[in-house]
Amino acid sequence: MKAAILKGVAVLGMAALALGSIATSASAESLLEKADKGEPIRIGFANEIPFAYPADDGSPKGFVNVFTIAVLKKMGYENIEPVQTEWGGLIPGLNANRFDIVTGGMNILASRCENIAFSEPVATVGDGFIVAPGNPKGIGDYESVAKGGAVMVTGAGYSNIEAAKAAGVAESNIMQVPGPTEILAAVKSGRADAGAGTYFTMKQLADASSGAVEATDPNAMPESSFNWAGIGFRKADQDFLDKFNAAMKEYIGSDDMLEAVAEYGYGKGSLPGDKTSEWVCANR
């Protein structure tokens, strides 16, 4: 009887190993292989207006989503599935295979380049602030935040955290919240003196606040605070990324592309210029 039980356990063990092998094989399948089989390409993004955000029906909106979907279609891929998450979950979610591409409008930074691969830049992105009407603390750049001992609020995982610390802003004066809605709420309530994010996003918050806050002048920011946004991929999917970059090169800056993203405030001045992702990874 014991021998029969042991034999049964052995058979079950062999079956489990076989199933595990099948699962491992499936999970090891590359994005290019899955896409070429017609499986959905899952794009991950947070609620970051105007970069990437969900419409009321859950469909992907924002200029990075529109741009990415257009490039994927040029590559012959139209089975695209949106996945919304919080900003701080984008890189972990990508590497955990919860989605295949990050379209959130993420700045290319050396610290992020260690964990994921980026497309060539899709936009030049300057930082900006929202402040109380009249800008009572005279905030124009990160140094003014530091010198004035002001409290700055920004999103968890945002590049503004590194920029503020580099300018001397004390960590205790940097409030981290989930995203733009909470940044606006913190400044409106007086819990923070300035909200920091990309100028794209801060201007949109100010314009929609009915005068409760105002956006500071982006020209007051130093050149070193400018960043370049890219689209994120798993490092294991370099073959797909190479194909994406080739298709993107033909599309970026075209009349069709600029017309498609115009409603989100993206114009010719937002184009990334001649900067490459390699350069940005090394210099930001």
Coordinates of all heavy atoms in Angstrom, one line a residue, residues 138-183:
G138 N 7.6 83.2 -3.4 CA 8.6 83.5 -4.5 C 9.3 82.2 -5.0 O 10.5 82.3 -5.2
I139 N 8.5 81.2 -5.2 CA 9.1 79.9 -5.6 C 9.2 79.9 -7.2 O 8.2 80.1 -7.8 CB 8.3 78.7 -5.1 CG1 8.4 78.6 -3.6 CG2 8.7 77.4 -5.8 CD1 7.5 77.7 -2.9
G140 N 10.4 79.7 -7.7 CA 10.6 79.6 -9.1 C 11.4 78.4 -9.6 O 11.3 78.0 -10.7
D141 N 12.2 77.9 -8.6 CA 13.1 76.8 -8.9 C 13.3 76.0 -7.6 O 12.8 76.4 -6.6 CB 14.4 77.2 -9.6 CG 15.2 78.2 -8.7 OD1 14.9 78.3 -7.5 OD2 16.1 78.8 -9.3
Y142 N 14.0 74.9 -7.7 CA 14.2 74.1 -6.5 C 15.1 74.8 -5.5 O 14.9 74.6 -4.3 CB 14.9 72.7 -6.9 CG 14.0 71.9 -7.8 CD1 14.3 71.6 -9.1 CD2 12.9 71.2 -7.2 CE1 13.4 70.8 -9.9 CE2 12.1 70.4 -8.0 CZ 12.3 70.2 -9.3 OH 11.5 69.4 -10.0
E143 N 16.0 75.6 -5.9 CA 16.9 76.3 -5.0 C 16.0 77.3 -4.1 O 16.3 77.4 -2.9 CB 18.0 77.1 -5.7 CG 19.1 76.2 -6.2 CD 20.3 77.0 -6.7 OE1 20.3 78.2 -6.6 OE2 21.3 76.3 -7.1
S144 N 15.0 77.9 -4.7 CA 14.2 78.8 -4.0 C 13.3 78.0 -3.0 O 13.0 78.6 -1.9 CB 13.3 79.6 -4.9 OG 12.4 78.8 -5.7
V145 N 13.0 76.8 -3.3 CA 12.3 75.9 -2.3 C 13.2 75.7 -1.1 O 12.8 75.8 0.0 CB 11.8 74.6 -3.0 CG1 11.2 73.7 -1.9 CG2 10.8 74.9 -4.1
A146 N 14.4 75.3 -1.4 CA 15.4 75.0 -0.4 C 15.7 76.2 0.5 O 15.7 76.2 1.7 CB 16.7 74.5 -1.0
K147 N 16.0 77.4 -0.1 CA 16.4 78.6 0.6 C 15.2 79.1 1.5 O 15.4 79.6 2.6 CB 16.8 79.6 -0.3 CG 18.2 79.4 -1.0 CD 18.6 80.4 -2.0 CE 19.9 80.1 -2.6 NZ 20.3 81.1 -3.7
G148 N 14.0 78.9 1.0 CA 12.9 79.4 1.8 C 12.3 78.5 2.8 O 11.4 78.8 3.5
G149 N 12.9 77.3 2.9 CA 12.4 76.3 3.8 C 11.0 75.8 3.5 O 10.3 75.4 4.4
A150 N 10.6 75.9 2.2 CA 9.3 75.6 1.8 C 9.0 74.1 1.8 O 9.9 73.3 1.6 CB 9.0 76.2 0.4
V151 N 7.8 73.8 2.0 CA 7.4 72.4 1.9 C 6.9 72.1 0.4 O 6.0 72.8 -0.1 CB 6.2 72.0 2.9 CG1 5.7 70.6 2.6 CG2 6.7 72.2 4.3
M152 N 7.5 71.1 -0.2 CA 7.2 70.8 -1.6 C 6.5 69.5 -1.6 O 6.9 68.5 -1.0 CB 8.4 70.7 -2.4 CG 8.2 70.5 -3.9 SD 9.8 70.1 -4.8 CE 9.8 68.3 -4.6
V153 N 5.4 69.4 -2.4 CA 4.7 68.1 -2.5 C 4.8 67.6 -4.0 O 4.8 68.4 -4.9 CB 3.2 68.2 -2.2 CG1 2.5 69.3 -3.0 CG2 2.5 66.9 -2.2
T154 N 5.1 66.3 -4.1 CA 5.2 65.7 -5.5 C 4.8 64.3 -5.4 O 4.4 63.8 -4.3 CB 6.6 65.9 -6.0 OG1 6.6 65.5 -7.4 CG2 7.6 65.0 -5.2
G155 N 4.7 63.6 -6.5 CA 4.3 62.2 -6.6 C 5.3 61.2 -6.1 O 6.5 61.4 -6.4
A156 N 4.9 60.2 -5.5 CA 5.9 59.1 -5.1 C 6.5 58.5 -6.3 O 5.8 58.2 -7.3 CB 5.1 58.1 -4.3
G157 N 7.8 58.5 -6.4 CA 8.5 58.0 -7.5 C 8.8 59.0 -8.6 O 9.5 58.7 -9.6
Y158 N 8.4 60.2 -8.4 CA 8.6 61.3 -9.4 C 10.1 61.7 -9.5 O 10.7 61.7 -8.4 CB 7.8 62.5 -9.2 CG 6.3 62.5 -9.6 CD1 5.6 61.3 -9.7 CD2 5.6 63.6 -9.7 CE1 4.3 61.2 -10.1 CE2 4.2 63.6 -10.1 CZ 3.6 62.4 -10.2 OH 2.3 62.4 -10.6
S159 N 10.5 62.1 -10.6 CA 11.9 62.6 -10.8 C 12.2 63.9 -10.0 O 13.3 64.2 -9.7 CB 12.3 62.8 -12.2 OG 11.4 63.7 -12.8
N160 N 11.1 64.6 -9.7 CA 11.2 65.8 -8.9 C 11.9 65.6 -7.5 O 12.5 66.6 -7.0 CB 9.9 66.5 -8.8 CG 9.1 66.6 -10.1 OD1 8.5 65.7 -10.5 ND2 9.2 67.8 -10.7
I161 N 11.7 64.4 -7.0 CA 12.3 64.2 -5.7 C 13.8 64.3 -5.7 O 14.4 64.9 -4.9 CB 11.8 62.8 -5.2 CG1 10.3 62.7 -5.0 CG2 12.5 62.4 -3.9 CD1 9.8 61.3 -4.8
E162 N 14.4 63.6 -6.7 CA 15.9 63.6 -6.9 C 16.3 65.0 -7.2 O 17.3 65.5 -6.7 CB 16.3 62.7 -8.0 CG 16.1 61.2 -7.7 CD 16.6 60.3 -8.9 OE1 17.4 60.8 -9.7 OE2 16.2 59.2 -9.0
A163 N 15.6 65.8 -8.1 CA 16.0 67.1 -8.4 C 16.0 68.0 -7.2 O 16.8 68.9 -7.1 CB 15.1 67.6 -9.5
A164 N 14.9 67.9 -6.4 CA 14.8 68.8 -5.2 C 15.9 68.5 -4.2 O 16.6 69.4 -3.7 CB 13.5 68.5 -4.6
K165 N 16.2 67.2 -4.0 CA 17.3 66.9 -3.0 C 18.6 67.4 -3.6 O 19.5 67.9 -2.8 CB 17.4 65.3 -2.9 CG 16.2 64.8 -2.0 CD 16.3 63.3 -1.9 CE 15.2 62.7 -1.0 NZ 15.4 61.2 -0.9
A166 N 18.9 67.3 -4.9 CA 20.1 67.8 -5.4 C 20.3 69.3 -5.2 O 21.4 69.8 -5.2 CB 20.2 67.4 -6.9
A167 N 19.2 70.0 -5.2 CA 19.2 71.5 -5.0 C 19.3 71.8 -3.5 O 19.3 73.0 -3.2 CB 18.0 72.1 -5.6
G168 N 19.3 70.8 -2.6 CA 19.4 71.1 -1.2 C 18.1 71.1 -0.4 O 18.1 71.5 0.8
V169 N 17.0 70.7 -1.0 CA 15.7 70.6 -0.3 C 15.8 69.5 0.7 O 16.1 68.4 0.3 CB 14.5 70.4 -1.2 CG1 13.2 70.4 -0.5 CG2 14.4 71.6 -2.3
A170 N 15.5 69.8 2.0 CA 15.6 68.7 3.0 C 14.5 67.7 2.7 O 13.4 68.0 2.3 CB 15.3 69.4 4.4
E171 N 14.9 66.4 3.0 CA 13.9 65.3 2.8 C 12.7 65.5 3.6 O 11.6 65.2 3.1 CB 14.6 64.0 3.1 CG 13.7 62.8 2.7 CD 14.5 61.5 2.6 OE1 15.8 61.6 2.9 OE2 13.9 60.5 2.4
S172 N 12.8 66.1 4.8 CA 11.6 66.3 5.6 C 10.7 67.4 5.0 O 9.5 67.5 5.5 CB 12.1 66.8 7.0 OG 12.9 68.0 6.9
N173 N 11.1 68.1 4.1 CA 10.3 69.1 3.4 C 9.7 68.7 2.1 O 9.2 69.5 1.3 CB 11.0 70.5 3.2 CG 11.1 71.3 4.5 OD1 10.4 71.0 5.5 ND2 11.9 72.3 4.5
I174 N 9.9 67.4 1.8 CA 9.4 66.8 0.5 C 8.2 65.9 0.9 O 8.5 64.8 1.5 CB 10.5 66.1 -0.3 CG1 11.6 67.0 -0.6 CG2 9.9 65.5 -1.5 CD1 12.8 66.3 -1.3
M175 N 7.0 66.3 0.6 CA 5.9 65.4 0.8 C 5.6 64.6 -0.4 O 5.5 65.1 -1.5 CB 4.7 66.4 1.1 CG 3.4 65.6 1.5 SD 1.9 66.8 1.6 CE 2.5 68.0 2.8
Q176 N 5.4 63.3 -0.2 CA 5.1 62.4 -1.4 C 3.7 61.9 -1.3 O 3.3 61.4 -0.2 CB 6.1 61.2 -1.4 CG 7.6 61.7 -1.6 CD 8.5 60.5 -1.7 OE1 8.2 59.5 -2.4 NE2 9.6 60.6 -1.0
V177 N 3.0 62.0 -2.4 CA 1.6 61.6 -2.5 C 1.4 60.8 -3.8 O 2.3 60.7 -4.6 CB 0.7 62.8 -2.5 CG1 0.8 63.6 -1.2 CG2 1.0 63.7 -3.7
P178 N 0.3 60.1 -3.9 CA 0.1 59.2 -5.1 C 0.2 59.9 -6.4 O 0.7 59.3 -7.4 CB -1.3 58.6 -4.8 CG -1.5 58.6 -3.4 CD -0.8 59.9 -2.9
G179 N -0.3 61.1 -6.6 CA -0.4 61.7 -8.0 C -0.9 63.1 -8.0 O -1.0 63.8 -7.0
P180 N -1.2 63.6 -9.2 CA -1.6 65.0 -9.4 C -2.8 65.5 -8.6 O -2.8 66.6 -8.1 CB -1.9 65.0 -10.9 CG -1.1 64.0 -11.5 CD -1.1 62.9 -10.5
T181 N -3.8 64.6 -8.4 CA -5.0 65.0 -7.6 C -4.6 65.4 -6.2 O -5.0 66.4 -5.6 CB -6.0 63.9 -7.6 OG1 -6.4 63.6 -9.0 CG2 -7.3 64.3 -6.8
E182 N -3.7 64.6 -5.6 CA -3.3 64.8 -4.3 C -2.3 66.0 -4.2 O -2.3 66.7 -3.1 CB -2.7 63.5 -3.7 CG -3.6 62.4 -3.5 CD -3.9 61.6 -4.8 OE1 -3.2 61.9 -5.8 OE2 -4.8 60.8 -4.8
I183 N -1.5 66.2 -5.2 CA -0.6 67.3 -5.2 C -1.4 68.6 -5.2 O -1.1 69.5 -4.4 CB 0.3 67.3 -6.5 CG1 1.3 66.2 -6.4 CG2 1.0 68.7 -6.7 CD1 2.1 66.0 -7.7

